[in-house]
Structures are given as structure tokens and as C-alpha cells.
């Protein structure tokens, strides 16, 4: 299968790396950002272009959700299989007379962070069973955790991921703002963060909850509210505590 990856961001980079590590040849990486494309090209010895899209059997579109439709119109090969890697878009966003699919890796990607690709869940959807089987087999060369999933299921997978990853990381960033404001080393909190995540490997998240809100400790809640001078931090603190208290009423 002749594969072209379209994009130069985090997902495109890691797909290229995962394929390379598993001896899956990528014939071209294509996109607009020449600087980032060149970095990927040099690291993995893969041709790149910002102008000419090579002929391929499979095009994987790994760009921002807002750009998927526009980018998909660049592909003119009618007998190609085209898949986007978005968790929140249907296959129908792809505009062209080719076979459409979705190839969604459920993970947070940063170029500077190494990943064990074998543990990443991949969710596959295609218009026909032959393409579904082909993409399933491709993903299985990378990951030990591959499933088929229609858009109805996939969009809720993505929503859950936003709560479980994006929101949690934002709280880490806000916590660091507080620690920085008091000249506290954020590394103090890394073992606490690690234990919080480790616990949900063994306990239901609801069972693992600790802290003043779940205990109903009004003295500590009021003390914290006095300490918070940043309005945004105060809103987050009150909203989270209210949500915790409602869950355990």
C-alpha cells in the first residue's frame, strides 16, 4: 500500500514515526509548513512537498479539524482510500470521489514526547468492509488495541478524551500558575499527580476522589477561597468543588 501523510503537526509526526518504526513505508509527507515538513523529512528520510501531492493508495489527512474539508479537496485520485485522523469529524467531511474512512488514534501527541505506539487505541471506520479490514490490519501493525467504530461512538470517545486529558492538563497548567505565584517548585506535585493517575488503574475515578469538597470540609474550602486572588482561578475552584459536591450528595 502506497501511503501519503498530509500534515506536519503532532499527529502527522507521530504517525510517520510509528509507521517508520514498524517498517511501514511512507512515500511522501505533504503540507503547507515547509519548515516542519523538512524536519520530519530529515528525521525519517521521507520525501516531502508543499506543492505536488504524489499518487498513493492511501492518503491520511492529519491536519486541524477546520482544515480537513479543504485539504481533502486536493486529492483527485478517484480509486484512492482517504482517511482523516480526527475524533470529532464524520467521514462525510471528506470531499472527493474517492473511498472515505477514519483512522483515529486516541492519544495526546507532542513531538518532543516519545510514546509506546503499541498501547494507543486506534478506531477505524470505512465505507466498506474491504477498506475497513485494510485499515484495521494497518493499525494493528502499530498498535495492540484496534477497534472499529462508527461516528456516533467516536464523537463520544473524543468528548470523553477532552474531559480526561485536555481539561485535566489545563488544571495542571492552572496549578502551576498558583505554585509559580508563591515560588513553589512544581516538581513537589509530580508524585501527587502520578499517584492520582495511577489510582484510576485500580479504582473507579468516583471511588478514588479525595479532598475537602468530597469530605464537605467547609473550613478548608473557605480558607482556599480567601487565598485565591486570581478571578479565573476562583471560578475554576468554585465550579469544580460544586461539581464534586453534587456528585457525592
Amino acid at each position: 500500500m502506497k501511503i501519503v501523510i498530509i500534515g506536519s503537526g503532532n499527529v502527522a509526526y507521530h504517525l510517520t514515526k510509528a509507521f517508520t518504526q514498524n517498517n511501514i513505508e511512507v512515500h511522501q509527507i505533504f503540507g503547507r509548513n515547509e519548515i516542519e515538513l523538512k524536519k520530519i523529512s530529515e528525521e525519517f528520510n521521507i520525501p516531502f512537498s508543499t506543492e505536488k501531492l504524489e499518487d498513493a493508495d492511501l492518503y491520511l489527512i492529519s491536519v486541524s479539524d477546520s482544515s480537513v474539508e479543504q485539504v481533502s479537496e486536493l486529492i483527485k485520485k478517484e480509486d484512492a482510500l482517504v482517511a482523516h485522523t480526527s475524533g470529532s469529524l464524520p467521514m462525510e467531511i471528506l470531499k472527493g470521489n474517492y473511498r472515505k474512512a477514519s483512522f483515529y488514534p486516541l492519544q495526546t501527541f507532542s513531538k518532543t514526547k516519545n510514546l509506546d505506539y503499541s498501547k494507543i487505541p486506534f478506531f477505524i471506520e470505512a465505507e466498506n468492509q474491504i477498506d475497513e479490514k485494510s485499515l484495521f490490519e494497518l493499525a494493528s501493525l502499530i498498535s495492540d488495541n484496534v477497534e472499529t467504530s462508527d461516528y456516533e461512538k467516536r464523537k463520544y470517545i473524543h468528548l470523553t478524551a477532552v474531559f480526561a486529558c485536555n481539561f485535566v492538563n489545563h488544571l495542571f497548567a492552572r496549578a502551576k500558575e498558583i505554585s509559580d505565584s508563591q515560588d513553589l517548585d512544581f516538581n513537589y506535585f509530580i508524585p501527587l499527580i502520578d499517584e492520582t493517575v495511577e489510582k484510576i488503574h485500580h479504582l473507579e475515578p468516583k471511588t478514588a476522589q479525595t479532598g475537602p469538597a468530597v469530605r464537605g470540609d467547609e473550613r478548608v474550602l473557605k480558607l482556599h477561597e480567601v487565598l485565591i486572588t486570581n478571578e479565573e482561578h476562583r471560578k475554576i475552584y468554585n465550579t469544580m468543588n460544586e461539581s464534586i459536591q453534587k456528585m457525592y450528595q
Side-chain angles (χ1 to χ4, degrees), residues 136-188:
F136 193 99
E137 290 173 351
L138 177 64
S140 296
L141 295 174
I142 302 168
S143 171
D144 298 327
N145 190 357
V146 183
E147 295 184 24
T148 58
S149 172
D150 61 18
Y151 175 56
E152 283 301 307
K153 178 180 178 181
R154 181 160 41 85
K155 65 186 179 183
Y156 282 103
I157 291 171
H158 188 258
L159 172 62
T160 305
V162 169
F163 271 79
C165 172
N166 305 136
F167 288 176
V168 171
N169 188 74
H170 180 68
L171 290 177
F172 293 156
R174 289 297 187 180
K176 190 173 187 302
E177 287 181 343
I178 295 171
S179 69
D180 288 350
S181 73
Q182 300 301 314
D183 294 322
L184 301 172
D185 186 347
F186 190 69
N187 287 321
Y188 293 162

Side-chain angles (χ1 to χ4, degrees), residues 223-246:
L223 171 63
H224 287 173
E225 203 165 348
V226 170
L227 293 175
I228 298 171
T229 57
N230 181 297
E231 184 61 31
E232 195 63 32
H233 292 167
R234 185 181 291 110
K235 284 196 302 185
I236 293 170
Y237 187 82
N238 289 335
T239 299
M240 293 298 293
N241 282 327
E242 182 181 347
S243 180
I244 292 169
Q245 289 172 328
K246 282 182 178 178

Side-chain angles (χ1 to χ4, degrees), residues 29 36-46 48:
I29 49 174
E36 293 301 317
L37 286 171
K38 188 176 182 181
K39 288 179 183 177
I40 299 172
S41 173
E42 290 176 347
E43 182 172 351
F44 301 111
N45 193 28
I46 296 169
F48 79 92

